[in-house]
Amino acid sequence: RRPARPHRDLVQPKLLAPCSHQHNPSIRVLQWNILAQALGEGKDSFIRCPLEALSWHERKYQILEEILTYRPDIVCLQEVDHYYDTFQPIMARLGYHGNFLPKPWSPCLDVEHNNGPDGCALFYRRSRFHLHSTAHLRLSAMMLPTNQVAIAQTLRCLATGRQLCVAVTHLKARSGWERLRSAQGADLLQSLQGITTPGSGAGPGPIPLVVCGDFNAEPSEDVYRRFSSSPLGLSSAYKLLSGDGQTEPAYTSWKIRPSGESCSTLDYIWYSERALRVEALLDIPTEQQIGPNRLPSYHYPSDHLALLCDISFREGPHRLL
Ligand code: NDP
Ligand code: CA
């Protein structure tokens, strides 16, 4: 039988002083590329993962268990090719509002017996937020539309009355496409700037932003630099797991294909550093926990790890929004 899911600790960033949560309950955000069913079975060639462990019958419960164990307030997923038949109805029954945006030409559609296109999905807990607006974005690169998408939703937090913009994306995969990813990132940042910057006048300032995604880019890539140095003031939450607060985890994805083993940091949770504060992060499993056959496996359903953090609003000087 399949082994138990490895336990992951929720840890407080070492560099942060604890603060009172009484009037400022944190928001739990989950980011995860869940591995599209059609790609996992039909395209990825994960040679060290038994085919049986990749069956949807096995995986769907593992994916849902992993998501629901942590009771997130916001769930950002990539490679969702079972939205309408699985995630939307189950998450709705559990009190989540869902939104789905398929890729224009999903590679899933090339796989025999596919379940439709894969895409990004964004869920929020209905008891925690009201929806203000939704933007479906098709990312461009040098003015040309690409096959990658993003969803951005502006929410109002019912506990604090504050607004929050949440975005989910999945950038172009594979090496050789670094410049396309960078251009997609630039396009996304520009759209998000428009969404989070209120109109003219002395308003309450920009809407705090969280961007979750599989960026398919190591921290050394141009698109990472663009995100960490944009005028939106974004910082990557998982840097706070490191001792110096400046270093990304060693991996968020680890797999073995016929072409070899690939252990890389590709997934990120970006947040507005001036307006938001990271209270806790879900630790990254050790190499030993991941095991010699890497991901996916009988005990872990995707080749990407789920990222999760608790975020709270910083007490702004005179911010009422
Ligand atoms: P990407 O290159 O972004 O990758 C698609 C998926 O493949 C990702 O989910 C990625 O996973 C996964 N992947 C990454 N590396 C590998 C690998 N070495 N082996 C197997 N899978 C891998 O895809 P695009 O969105 O650019 O779409 C490409 C496909 O879409 C084409 O193959 C074509 O089928 C179709 N297409 C069709 C068009 C048409 O006109 N009919 C137009 C455009 C695309 P991860 O993100 O986890 O790394
Ligand atoms: Ca994939």
PDB file of all heavy atoms in Angstrom, residues 42 60 78 115 121 138 154-155 178 205 214 246 265 273 275 303 310:
ATOM      1  N   GLY A  42       0.663  10.783 -19.867  1.00  0.00           N
ATOM      2  CA  GLY A  42       0.849  10.699 -21.317  1.00  0.00           C
ATOM      3  C   GLY A  42       2.060  11.415 -21.884  1.00  0.00           C
ATOM      4  O   GLY A  42       2.418  11.198 -23.038  1.00  0.00           O
ATOM      5  N   LYS A  60      -6.213  11.682  -7.189  1.00  0.00           N
ATOM      6  CA  LYS A  60      -7.154  12.753  -6.850  1.00  0.00           C
ATOM      7  C   LYS A  60      -7.363  12.878  -5.349  1.00  0.00           C
ATOM      8  O   LYS A  60      -7.439  13.990  -4.833  1.00  0.00           O
ATOM      9  CB  LYS A  60      -8.476  12.611  -7.603  1.00  0.00           C
ATOM     10  CG  LYS A  60      -9.381  11.518  -7.182  1.00  0.00           C
ATOM     11  CD  LYS A  60     -10.716  11.741  -7.902  1.00  0.00           C
ATOM     12  CE  LYS A  60     -11.590  10.530  -7.809  1.00  0.00           C
ATOM     13  NZ  LYS A  60     -12.829  10.727  -8.588  1.00  0.00           N
ATOM     14  N   GLN A  78      -1.860  25.108 -10.608  1.00  0.00           N
ATOM     15  CA  GLN A  78      -1.550  25.033 -12.038  1.00  0.00           C
ATOM     16  C   GLN A  78      -1.726  23.585 -12.497  1.00  0.00           C
ATOM     17  O   GLN A  78      -1.742  22.668 -11.681  1.00  0.00           O
ATOM     18  CB  GLN A  78      -0.099  25.467 -12.319  1.00  0.00           C
ATOM     19  CG  GLN A  78       0.219  26.897 -11.931  1.00  0.00           C
ATOM     20  CD  GLN A  78       0.502  27.051 -10.456  1.00  0.00           C
ATOM     21  OE1 GLN A  78       1.069  26.150  -9.848  1.00  0.00           O
ATOM     22  NE2 GLN A  78       0.114  28.164  -9.868  1.00  0.00           N
ATOM     23  N   ASN A 115      -8.741  14.696 -20.493  1.00  0.00           N
ATOM     24  CA  ASN A 115      -9.952  15.167 -19.807  1.00  0.00           C
ATOM     25  C   ASN A 115     -10.168  16.660 -20.065  1.00  0.00           C
ATOM     26  O   ASN A 115     -10.714  17.371 -19.242  1.00  0.00           O
ATOM     27  CB  ASN A 115      -9.799  14.891 -18.304  1.00  0.00           C
ATOM     28  CG  ASN A 115     -11.105  15.031 -17.550  1.00  0.00           C
ATOM     29  OD1 ASN A 115     -12.084  14.376 -17.876  1.00  0.00           O
ATOM     30  ND2 ASN A 115     -11.125  15.901 -16.558  1.00  0.00           N
ATOM     31  N   ALA A 121      -6.173  27.511 -11.692  1.00  0.00           N
ATOM     32  CA  ALA A 121      -7.399  27.629 -10.901  1.00  0.00           C
ATOM     33  C   ALA A 121      -7.097  28.417  -9.634  1.00  0.00           C
ATOM     34  O   ALA A 121      -6.004  28.308  -9.069  1.00  0.00           O
ATOM     35  CB  ALA A 121      -7.950  26.246 -10.549  1.00  0.00           C
ATOM     36  N   ARG A 138      -4.441  36.514 -20.739  1.00  0.00           N
ATOM     37  CA  ARG A 138      -3.612  35.690 -21.614  1.00  0.00           C
ATOM     38  C   ARG A 138      -2.293  36.428 -21.749  1.00  0.00           C
ATOM     39  O   ARG A 138      -2.267  37.580 -22.211  1.00  0.00           O
ATOM     40  CB  ARG A 138      -4.282  35.514 -22.970  1.00  0.00           C
ATOM     41  CG  ARG A 138      -3.441  34.674 -23.898  1.00  0.00           C
ATOM     42  CD  ARG A 138      -4.173  34.343 -25.173  1.00  0.00           C
ATOM     43  NE  ARG A 138      -3.353  33.470 -26.013  1.00  0.00           N
ATOM     44  CZ  ARG A 138      -3.742  33.037 -27.197  1.00  0.00           C
ATOM     45  NH1 ARG A 138      -4.923  33.378 -27.675  1.00  0.00           N
ATOM     46  NH2 ARG A 138      -2.957  32.254 -27.910  1.00  0.00           N
ATOM     47  N   THR A 154      -9.460  40.469  -7.262  1.00  0.00           N
ATOM     48  CA  THR A 154      -9.411  41.417  -6.159  1.00  0.00           C
ATOM     49  C   THR A 154     -10.489  41.017  -5.165  1.00  0.00           C
ATOM     50  O   THR A 154     -11.665  40.888  -5.527  1.00  0.00           O
ATOM     51  CB  THR A 154      -9.611  42.854  -6.660  1.00  0.00           C
ATOM     52  OG1 THR A 154      -8.630  43.113  -7.657  1.00  0.00           O
ATOM     53  CG2 THR A 154      -9.443  43.850  -5.534  1.00  0.00           C
ATOM     54  N   LEU A 155     -10.052  40.783  -3.918  1.00  0.00           N
ATOM     55  CA  LEU A 155     -10.944  40.286  -2.872  1.00  0.00           C
ATOM     56  C   LEU A 155     -11.008  41.313  -1.747  1.00  0.00           C
ATOM     57  O   LEU A 155     -10.091  42.117  -1.575  1.00  0.00           O
ATOM     58  CB  LEU A 155     -10.406  38.972  -2.306  1.00  0.00           C
ATOM     59  CG  LEU A 155     -10.045  37.869  -3.306  1.00  0.00           C
ATOM     60  CD1 LEU A 155      -9.356  36.706  -2.589  1.00  0.00           C
ATOM     61  CD2 LEU A 155     -11.303  37.369  -4.020  1.00  0.00           C
ATOM     62  N   GLU A 178      13.908  31.144 -21.829  1.00  0.00           N
ATOM     63  CA  GLU A 178      14.100  32.118 -20.751  1.00  0.00           C
ATOM     64  C   GLU A 178      13.605  33.509 -21.140  1.00  0.00           C
ATOM     65  O   GLU A 178      12.998  34.216 -20.323  1.00  0.00           O
ATOM     66  CB  GLU A 178      15.585  32.184 -20.351  1.00  0.00           C
ATOM     67  CG  GLU A 178      16.139  30.899 -19.720  1.00  0.00           C
ATOM     68  CD  GLU A 178      16.458  29.795 -20.735  1.00  0.00           C
ATOM     69  OE1 GLU A 178      16.443  30.070 -21.956  1.00  0.00           O
ATOM     70  OE2 GLU A 178      16.726  28.658 -20.297  1.00  0.00           O
ATOM     71  N   GLY A 205      -3.683  54.110  -1.568  1.00  0.00           N
ATOM     72  CA  GLY A 205      -2.453  53.434  -1.996  1.00  0.00           C
ATOM     73  C   GLY A 205      -2.783  52.158  -2.723  1.00  0.00           C
ATOM     74  O   GLY A 205      -3.949  51.756  -2.822  1.00  0.00           O
ATOM     75  N   ASP A 214       3.857  28.670 -10.852  1.00  0.00           N
ATOM     76  CA  ASP A 214       4.958  27.877 -11.370  1.00  0.00           C
ATOM     77  C   ASP A 214       5.573  28.747 -12.453  1.00  0.00           C
ATOM     78  O   ASP A 214       5.032  28.849 -13.551  1.00  0.00           O
ATOM     79  CB  ASP A 214       4.433  26.548 -11.932  1.00  0.00           C
ATOM     80  CG  ASP A 214       5.515  25.767 -12.658  1.00  0.00           C
ATOM     81  OD1 ASP A 214       6.665  26.250 -12.725  1.00  0.00           O
ATOM     82  OD2 ASP A 214       5.201  24.673 -13.181  1.00  0.00           O
ATOM     83  N   GLN A 246      17.466  35.440   2.523  1.00  0.00           N
ATOM     84  CA  GLN A 246      17.737  35.938   1.166  1.00  0.00           C
ATOM     85  C   GLN A 246      17.802  34.816   0.138  1.00  0.00           C
ATOM     86  O   GLN A 246      18.000  35.078  -1.048  1.00  0.00           O
ATOM     87  CB  GLN A 246      19.093  36.660   1.137  1.00  0.00           C
ATOM     88  CG  GLN A 246      19.192  37.846   2.066  1.00  0.00           C
ATOM     89  CD  GLN A 246      18.241  38.943   1.670  1.00  0.00           C
ATOM     90  OE1 GLN A 246      18.143  39.287   0.492  1.00  0.00           O
ATOM     91  NE2 GLN A 246      17.502  39.468   2.620  1.00  0.00           N
ATOM     92  N   THR A 265      14.243  24.922  -8.398  1.00  0.00           N
ATOM     93  CA  THR A 265      13.333  25.864  -7.745  1.00  0.00           C
ATOM     94  C   THR A 265      12.594  26.630  -8.831  1.00  0.00           C
ATOM     95  O   THR A 265      13.207  27.421  -9.559  1.00  0.00           O
ATOM     96  CB  THR A 265      14.140  26.815  -6.845  1.00  0.00           C
ATOM     97  OG1 THR A 265      14.888  26.011  -5.931  1.00  0.00           O
ATOM     98  CG2 THR A 265      13.222  27.761  -6.087  1.00  0.00           C
ATOM     99  N   GLU A 273       5.757  43.498  -0.068  1.00  0.00           N
ATOM    100  CA  GLU A 273       6.505  43.512   1.187  1.00  0.00           C
ATOM    101  C   GLU A 273       6.098  44.671   2.092  1.00  0.00           C
ATOM    102  O   GLU A 273       6.141  44.556   3.312  1.00  0.00           O
ATOM    103  CB  GLU A 273       7.997  43.588   0.866  1.00  0.00           C
ATOM    104  CG  GLU A 273       8.864  42.967   1.933  1.00  0.00           C
ATOM    105  CD  GLU A 273      10.328  42.948   1.550  1.00  0.00           C
ATOM    106  OE1 GLU A 273      10.694  43.520   0.501  1.00  0.00           O
ATOM    107  OE2 GLU A 273      11.098  42.351   2.308  1.00  0.00           O
ATOM    108  N   ALA A 275       3.104  46.028   2.428  1.00  0.00           N
ATOM    109  CA  ALA A 275       1.747  45.952   2.974  1.00  0.00           C
ATOM    110  C   ALA A 275       1.466  44.644   3.701  1.00  0.00           C
ATOM    111  O   ALA A 275       0.541  44.574   4.506  1.00  0.00           O
ATOM    112  CB  ALA A 275       0.737  46.133   1.844  1.00  0.00           C
ATOM    113  N   ASP A 303       4.986  16.291  -9.307  1.00  0.00           N
ATOM    114  CA  ASP A 303       6.432  16.502  -9.383  1.00  0.00           C
ATOM    115  C   ASP A 303       6.822  17.849  -8.779  1.00  0.00           C
ATOM    116  O   ASP A 303       8.003  18.144  -8.641  1.00  0.00           O
ATOM    117  CB  ASP A 303       6.917  16.398 -10.837  1.00  0.00           C
ATOM    118  CG  ASP A 303       6.210  17.371 -11.765  1.00  0.00           C
ATOM    119  OD1 ASP A 303       4.992  17.608 -11.588  1.00  0.00           O
ATOM    120  OD2 ASP A 303       6.863  17.913 -12.672  1.00  0.00           O
ATOM    121  N   ASP A 310       1.361  31.657   5.704  1.00  0.00           N
ATOM    122  CA  ASP A 310       0.382  32.512   6.375  1.00  0.00           C
ATOM    123  C   ASP A 310       0.845  33.950   6.211  1.00  0.00           C
ATOM    124  O   ASP A 310       1.985  34.279   6.544  1.00  0.00           O
ATOM    125  CB  ASP A 310       0.299  32.166   7.864  1.00  0.00           C
ATOM    126  CG  ASP A 310      -0.346  30.813   8.097  1.00  0.00           C
ATOM    127  OD1 ASP A 310      -1.021  30.310   7.176  1.00  0.00           O
ATOM    128  OD2 ASP A 310      -0.182  30.264   9.204  1.00  0.00           O
TER     129      ASP A 310
END
